[in-house]
Amino acid sequence: MKTAKKIFDVKKFYRRTALIIYDIISVIAASFIALYMRFNFDMEEVPRYFLTPIEKFLPLSIILTILVLYIFRMYSSLWAFAGETELQNIVISSVISTIIQAIGLQFFRVKGYQAVPISYYFLYMFCLLSLIFVSRFSYRFLRSYKHKNQNKKNTISVMIIGAGEAANSIVKEIVNSNFSTMVIRCIIDDDPGKAGRFIQGIKVVGGRNKIIECADLYDIDEIIVAMPSASRATISEILDICKETNCKLRSLPGMYQLVNGEVSVAKLRDVEVEDLLGRDPIEVDLDSILGYVKDEVVLVTGGGGSIGSELCRQIASHHPKQLILVDIYENSAYDVQQELKLRYPELDLVVLIASVRNTNRMNRIFEMYKPKIVYHAAAHKHVPLMETSPNEAIKNNVFGTWKTAQAAAQNGVRRFVMISTDKAVNPTNIMGASKRICEMIIQTFNKHYETEFVAVRFGNVLGSNGSVIPLFKKQIMAGGPVTVTHPDIIRYFMTIPEAVSLVLQAGAFAKGGEIFVLDMGKPVKIVDLARNLIRLSGYRVDEDIKIEFTGLRPGEKLYEELLMSEEGLTATENKSIFIAKPIELNEDDFFKTLKALKEESKNEAADIRPLVKEIVSTYTYKTEV
């Protein structure tokens, strides 16, 4: 280490010495060139009484100028990354050196010499500034030129969509970088007033109608969407065009990056399928909604899962008195714990490993911590796996909910919000049927306890554990094929933040007994998601990556519904959220059959589905031949 440091110091010494020698020559050259320029480039016309003062003052001028340059870090800056600050320092140093020159030569005037013409000083400053600038910035230019030549064979041709401040920041960073292999070929913007103009030397070639044409014309490899303030609908329209180019797509995360001054190449992310959903995210005023969790003890079951962990993040940011995370899986619970401790060091966080199926454990937790608000996200959700293990779905989902809800009711919980699913509507699988029973339990409990029990029903969550998008990404990375169960299968989709926003809104709206339903817009074909994801990854469908249809899995249906036919809808303050009318049921028969269901699941019944159908009349399933 000492040897390496010594070598480094020697190199630094040589560089500084070379710069000092160059600056000495620059001061000498600037002094005489300025006089030479003043007298029309003819040294024979320069009077001796002008030349003598300059010659006599020159040694002192050199010493003082070198000192000024040293003060302004002209010998310690990293000139490979020189920018505006270094340029300002060069200008200021040159001005101060000129002032020193003017004062010094005035002293020689007192001694009887003729005053140097005023124009000489301006010429001197110009010459000195130019010579110092060349010495410092030429290193950056030569280094950049060398780097670009070395990477000509590895360059990535880039198109940028958007000609605003975000695009300007991205272009500036790429153009000025000595390390980027990107080359920006053109910029697209729908504003006719920007067409034909330039950003950092890159031409705005036209609007979105030019995307496909220019991608081919400029042989584009990658498209960067730099439109952080655009609506989801606009982004979706742009991406629908871009995906036809077979280029890799990247974008900025959002408007906040621009506001916070964080726009950079490092902030770019790959375009995701959710960008193509074509609808703006659900608008929820979380600050007003989450006011009710402030200074309250809040408990989240399944807190290590996709929905549960996001619930914990949102709640933690609104200052609860205490946040209790309950999960059976220690690894995910630990990950969320570490994240929350880092982001919210003042948070009173309790992480407990527990099963919602354990009556004594759940009762003890509620007795000890006395939560006032509970979000019940713990459940088995994977449809095919539950089809092969139906008793586990009943034990965990139905009776885990029963035991958690009962513990909540007996320990003074004010609000209990259960996470449900669109698969509970006319279920064709045991998972959906089990969640429908959970909804019935919640609505029944609400009639008999002071706790406000509600359920929140939504569709598939993009990026959650077990969703199709992570599976598709893994398959694409492996070179395909991408597997889709059926060419006509459709699903409603939402993002994790949207799902959590709905859950939190339900907690604010809750009066007891409601099933909240989200208006999720139009359903999406799974095969279209697969095609889009392949294209967004820069591949061609069925050429680079193939799509294979594997057939519907056990318990799976072609489409999901959010509302049962016998339910009605009631609007809420949020236009995207509705309340489903509760279904009337005979409580005596319900509890009697539920008791039998408990025994059957506990005794590992060979086929528990007929008993489930007795409770959920809309449940249908295939009987084995």
Side-chain angles (χ1 to χ4, degrees):
M1 291 296 292
K2 289 182 179 179
T3 304
K5 187 176 188 300
K6 184 177 180 181
I7 293 172
F8 177 78
D9 288 342
V10 169
K11 288 183 178 179
K12 186 188 293 185
F13 172 78
Y14 286 149
R15 287 173 183 169
R16 287 183 175 178
T17 302
L19 282 175
I20 291 171
I21 293 171
Y22 177 90
D23 290 338
I24 291 172
I25 296 171
S26 296
V27 174
I28 297 171
S31 300
F32 291 104
I33 291 173
L35 202 59
Y36 181 59
M37 293 172 66
R38 170 63 181 79
F39 287 93
N40 302 316
F41 305 98
D42 188 351
M43 286 300 292
E44 292 182 0
E45 291 188 12
V46 180
R48 190 66 198 175
Y49 52 79
F50 286 156
L51 194 58
T52 301
I54 292 173
E55 291 174 344
K56 288 186 173 291
F57 182 65
L58 194 55
L60 186 58
S61 176
I62 290 171
I63 293 171
L64 294 175
T65 300
I66 297 300
L67 180 62
V68 169
L69 293 174
Y70 176 82
I71 292 172
F72 283 90
R73 300 191 296 276
M74 291 296 104
Y75 304 113
S76 57
S77 296
L78 290 173
W79 295 104
F81 307 103
E84 292 180 8
T85 301
E86 286 74 21
L87 181 58
Q88 289 173 3
N89 288 341
I90 290 174
V91 173
I92 295 171
S93 300
S94 300
V95 170
I96 294 175
S97 178
T98 303
I99 293 172
I100 292 171
Q101 187 90 332
I103 294 173
L105 293 180
Q106 286 298 318
F107 172 79
F108 282 96
R109 181 184 178 188
V110 173
K111 293 290 184 178
Y113 293 97
Q114 186 74 25
V116 177
I118 293 176
S119 57
Y120 162 82
Y121 300 114
F122 291 101
L123 293 171
Y124 170 81
M125 181 176 68
F126 170 76
C127 292
L128 183 63
L129 192 153
S130 300
L131 290 167
I132 296 175
F133 175 85
V134 168
S135 69
R136 267 59 175 188
F137 279 82
S138 61
Y139 178 69
R140 172 177 173 169
F141 295 144
L142 290 172
R143 182 187 175 96
S144 177
Y145 180 76
K146 179 182 177 183
H147 170 78
K148 289 177 180 178
N149 280 339
Q150 289 174 341
N151 289 283
K152 273 184 178 179
K153 295 180 181 179
N154 302 320
T155 53
I156 300 170
S157 295
V158 174
M159 171 192 291
I160 292 183
I161 299 180
E165 286 297 325
N168 180 58
S169 298
I170 295 295
V171 173
K172 183 178 180 181
E173 182 172 351
I174 292 175
V175 169
N176 293 332
S177 174
N178 288 332
F179 304 99
S180 174
T181 58
M182 294 180 180
V183 177
I184 304 174
R185 303 296 186 187
C186 62
I187 298 173
I188 296 289
D189 197 284
D190 284 336
D191 185 353
K194 294 179 180 178
R197 306 179 103 177
F198 293 82
I199 297 179
Q200 304 283 328
I202 311 299
K203 187 176 181 179
V204 180
V205 295
R208 68 180 72 179
N209 61 312
K210 292 280 188 179
I211 291 175
I212 296 176
E213 176 187 337
C214 290
D216 182 57
L217 180 64
Y218 293 99
D219 197 20
I220 299 299
D221 300 307
E222 186 169 310
I223 297 175
I224 295 175
V225 181
M227 303 168 61
S229 60
S231 67
R232 280 284 183 91
T234 300
I235 294 293
S236 177
E237 291 169 6
I238 295 291
L239 294 179
D240 276 336
I241 300 172
C242 292
K243 70 186 182 185
E244 301 301 326
T245 65
N246 293 319
C247 297
K248 181 177 175 61
L249 302 182
R250 300 171 76 191
S251 71
L252 287 171
M255 186 62 188
Y256 74 93
Q257 298 285 349
L258 184 59
V259 173
N260 292 342
E262 297 178 0
V263 173
S264 70
V265 173
K267 297 295 180 181
L268 293 173
R269 63 167 174 81
D270 289 345
V271 171
E272 303 288 352
V273 173
E274 49 262 42
D275 296 317
L276 291 167
L277 290 182
R279 61 175 174 81
D280 291 326
I282 303 300
E283 294 294 333
V284 176
D285 183 2
L286 288 180
D287 288 330
S288 62
I289 292 170
L290 287 173
Y292 76 90
V293 305
K294 185 177 182 180
D295 299 326
E296 298 283 4
V297 178
V298 184
L299 184 147
V300 180
T301 69
S306 304
I307 299 298
S309 62
E310 182 65 20
L311 277 167
C312 290
R313 293 183 192 99
Q314 296 287 353
I315 294 166
S317 67
H318 286 77
H319 314 294
K321 180 179 180 181
Q322 188 177 54
L323 176 60
I324 305 162
L325 187 160
V326 177
D327 203 290
I328 189 62
Y329 185 44
E330 61 181 17
N331 291 345
S332 59
Y334 175 79
D335 289 341
V336 178
Q337 179 189 45
Q338 297 309 304
E339 177 189 342
L340 294 178
K341 285 171 66 176
L342 182 64
R343 292 176 61 181
Y344 308 102
E346 302 301 320
L347 175 67
D348 184 356
L349 176 66
V350 178
V351 177
L352 303 173
I353 302 303
S355 171
V356 293
R357 293 157 61 165
N358 188 326
T359 305
N360 292 335
R361 176 69 167 144
M362 295 310 295
N363 286 340
R364 181 61 186 270
I365 289 172
F366 278 84
E367 288 170 3
M368 180 176 295
Y369 295 100
K370 296 293 183 184
K372 291 299 178 184
I373 302 170
V374 174
Y375 292 97
H376 180 51
H380 286 328
K381 305 180 182 72
H382 201 281
V383 171
L385 290 181
M386 292 304 100
E387 287 300 288
T388 55
S389 303
N391 290 318
E392 293 305 305
I394 298 301
K395 291 178 202 172
N396 196 71
N397 294 358
V398 174
F399 295 104
T401 297
W402 175 288
K403 293 172 182 180
T404 306
Q406 196 162 51
Q410 293 173 351
N411 287 278
V413 169
R414 187 169 72 250
R415 289 178 184 169
F416 185 102
V417 182
M418 187 205 80
I419 310 302
S420 189
T421 171
D422 57 355
K423 293 175 179 61
V425 183
N426 298 323
T428 59
N429 53 70
I430 198 71
M431 194 283 283
S434 70
K435 296 300 281 187
R436 180 57 191 147
I437 297 175
C438 291
E439 292 179 353
M440 298 165 76
I441 291 172
I442 290 302
Q443 291 186 325
T444 304
F445 269 46
N446 188 70
K447 297 176 182 179
H448 297 280
Y449 296 100
E450 293 184 3
T451 301
E452 297 167 343
F453 287 95
V454 299
V456 185
R457 185 190 294 162
F458 48 78
N460 295 272
V461 180
L462 286 167
S464 65
N465 296 330
S467 70
V468 295
I469 302 304
L471 173 62
F472 287 169
K473 287 182 176 180
K474 289 178 181 178
Q475 291 174 335
I476 291 170
M477 288 179 65
V482 172
T483 56
V484 179
T485 57
H486 194 282
D488 297 323
I489 192 168
I490 61 173
R491 290 290 182 267
Y492 292 93
F493 280 99
M494 65 193 311
T495 64
I496 291 176
E498 284 180 320
V500 170
S501 296
L502 174 62
V503 174
L504 294 172
Q505 186 109 52
F509 287 166
K511 295 180 181 177
E514 302 97 336
I515 296 176
F516 290 91
V517 181
L518 172 65
D519 178 7
M520 298 179 67
K522 296 179 180 179
V524 179
K525 272 192 170 186
I526 300 298
V527 69
D528 289 342
L529 282 181
R531 290 191 182 109
N532 289 335
L533 195 56
I534 291 170
R535 288 167 178 157
L536 293 178
S537 302
Y539 298 105
R540 291 167 294 182
V541 179
D542 291 330
E543 292 183 38
D544 301 321
I545 303 289
K546 292 186 179 297
I547 294 177
E548 288 186 1
F549 297 103
T550 58
L552 291 176
R553 298 174 299 178
E556 193 172 46
K557 56 184 178 180
L558 286 177
Y559 63 93
E560 304 290 358
E561 306 150 280
L562 288 177
L563 191 67
M564 297 179 70
S565 58
E566 60 265 46
E567 293 174 323
L569 283 180
T570 303
T572 67
E573 295 174 20
N574 189 316
K575 63 181 181 180
S576 297
I577 301 174
F578 299 86
I579 300 173
K581 181 181 177 181
I583 297 175
E584 298 298 327
L585 55 86
N586 185 306
E587 289 188 17
D588 291 337
D589 291 342
F590 175 60
F591 285 120
K592 181 180 178 181
T593 312
L594 204 59
K595 183 178 179 181
L597 185 66
K598 182 178 181 180
E599 291 301 317
E600 287 289 299
S601 63
K602 184 178 178 180
N603 294 328
E604 302 296 342
D607 190 358
I608 204 169
R609 294 177 299 174
L611 195 54
V612 171
K613 185 168 177 59
E614 285 187 33
I615 301 175
V616 184
S617 60
T618 56
Y619 170 45
T620 57
Y621 58 91
K622 290 183 179 180
T623 56
E624 296 184 12
V625 179

